[in-house]
Amino acid sequence: MSILYIVGTPIGNLGDMSPRGREVLETVDFIAAEDTRVSVKLLNHFGIKKPLVSYYQHNLRERGEQILGRIQGGESCAIITDAGMPCISDPGEDLVALCHEAGIPVRVVPGPTAALSALAASGLPTGRFAFEGFLSVKASSRRERLEEVKDDPRTLIFYEAPHKLRDTLADMAAAFGEGRRLTLCRELTKIHEELIRTTLGEAVTLYQEREPKGEYVLILEGAVLDRGPKVSFEEAVELVVQMAGCGVSLSEAAKSVAADAGYKKGELYRAAIEKAGRSKGHSLTTSTT
């Protein structure tokens, strides 16, 4: 049985095309492409002459079945997208699912990915991240989604088109706060490549003054979660005892430390009494009268 190959293509610089990717494109029977007009330029650059079949969002059901039938008939196919890895925020995922369901072998030929390339260059945490892709063009849906992820502690990755960038940045600043760190990655690997590490508030101001141009990847800092008490419970109790020993009422000392350290006032109050009872050197003031 023949194979479906998922072949990554350059996101800008044609020098990033892998030798294995070229080899696969040269040896398969036909190539499924998101936009054949774009893909033929890539193939011509490398001197590759193969039949092209268009496969995009609006014909994926009908064309997917046709491609599947050809593979089942003994032909091998490579799926590519306009730029980067197929199936990532791309209709190719449906064709891959069809092949898996039909028992057709699927092989991947890795290539550049705008999302991960931008993340690596962003200067923001990379250990945990979530890929959000393109937000909705509908303002209400876009804002609703931003509200859903505003407390996510992972670094967030978004794609955005230039004509939507200003609205998206404004909505992000409203949802996440103007101080949230952001790296805007524009035209990665291309002549006008640009990385801007800034904050949401500063980005909104910047693009009020300049016209957005090119395709953007937005790398957004995750939410900073409340990590709980900054000191141990024992340290907090000791602080209560020390304050009470200096003339502050035990109740007030427990209340003050509880507010700063994140523990319950009653727990600190009782623990301080027990600690003082075990220590002969402590004399606690239990009330203000």
Side-chain angles (χ1 to χ4, degrees):
M1 182 179 288
S2 297
I3 295 173
L4 174 70
Y5 292 94
I6 306 168
V7 180
T9 58
I11 58 176
N13 192 319
L14 294 179
D16 293 333
M17 186 71 194
S18 74
R20 182 176 171 228
R22 290 179 58 180
E23 179 183 359
V24 168
L25 294 181
E26 289 169 347
T27 56
V28 293
D29 295 297
F30 69 103
I31 298 170
E34 181 181 10
D35 188 332
T36 57
R37 296 167 299 179
V38 173
S39 296
V40 74
K41 297 176 183 178
L42 173 73
L43 299 180
N44 286 342
H45 177 81
F46 292 110
I48 299 172
K49 305 294 184 182
K50 289 290 174 178
L52 283 170
V53 175
S54 65
Y55 181 80
Y56 53 93
Q57 189 64 43
H58 298 295
N59 75 353
L60 60 87
R61 293 305 171 98
E62 177 184 358
R63 194 56 56 84
E65 293 292 343
Q66 294 173 2
I67 293 171
L68 181 65
R70 291 181 64 174
I71 298 174
Q72 289 175 320
E75 296 183 85
S76 286
C77 173
I79 182 169
I80 60 177
T81 188
D82 289 353
M85 281 299 298
C87 312
I88 306 299
S89 193
D90 174 82
E93 64 179 312
D94 286 343
L95 180 59
V96 172
L98 278 176
C99 287
H100 278 299
E101 291 167 4
I104 292 172
V106 175
R107 301 290 181 266
V108 63
V109 182
T113 306
L116 296 186
S117 298
L119 177 65
S122 70
L124 292 173
T126 61
R128 299 277 192 286
F129 59 89
F131 176 64
E132 288 290 321
F134 285 100
L135 290 164
S136 174
V137 296
K138 187 177 179 181
S140 60
S141 298
R142 179 172 65 243
R143 292 165 186 161
E144 181 180 349
R145 182 58 187 163
L146 293 176
E147 283 295 322
E148 291 173 351
V149 300
K150 72 176 183 180
D151 294 324
D152 193 327
R154 298 171 295 180
T155 300
L156 301 176
I157 305 174
F158 299 89
Y159 287 162
E160 196 50 278
H163 65 279
K164 290 171 48 191
L165 182 68
R166 286 172 173 157
D167 289 339
T168 294
L169 289 175
D171 288 342
M172 285 181 170
F176 302 124
E178 294 187 353
R180 187 79 70 95
R181 291 187 297 170
L182 169 75
T183 300
L184 296 106
C185 304
R186 183 175 76 89
E187 296 290 273
L188 288 175
T189 78
K190 301 176 185 177
I191 295 175
H192 300 294
E193 178 177 354
E194 181 179 35
L195 277 76
I196 303 173
R197 196 162 185 265
T198 182
T199 64
L200 280 171
E202 291 171 349
V204 169
T205 300
L206 173 64
Y207 282 98
Q208 287 174 347
E209 301 170 354
R210 64 187 284 188
E211 188 70 24
K213 294 181 179 179
E215 298 298 321
Y216 289 82
V217 183
L218 308 180
I219 309 296
L220 187 65
E221 179 182 32
V224 178
L225 299 181
D226 182 2
R227 298 299 180 184
K230 298 181 177 62
V231 297
S232 69
F233 184 75
E234 291 73 17
E235 291 172 326
V237 171
E238 178 61 30
L239 183 56
V240 172
V241 171
Q242 291 175 3
M243 292 175 65
C246 293
V248 179
S249 76
L250 181 59
S251 178
E252 286 298 318
K255 180 179 179 181
S256 176
V257 174
D260 290 338
Y263 296 106
K264 293 181 179 180
K265 172 188 171 182
E267 292 177 347
L268 293 175
Y269 185 95
R270 290 188 294 272
I273 291 178
E274 293 175 2
K275 183 178 180 65
R278 296 192 300 268
S279 303
K280 296 179 180 180
H282 287 297
S283 176
L284 304 184
T285 302
T286 58
S287 69
T288 57
T289 58

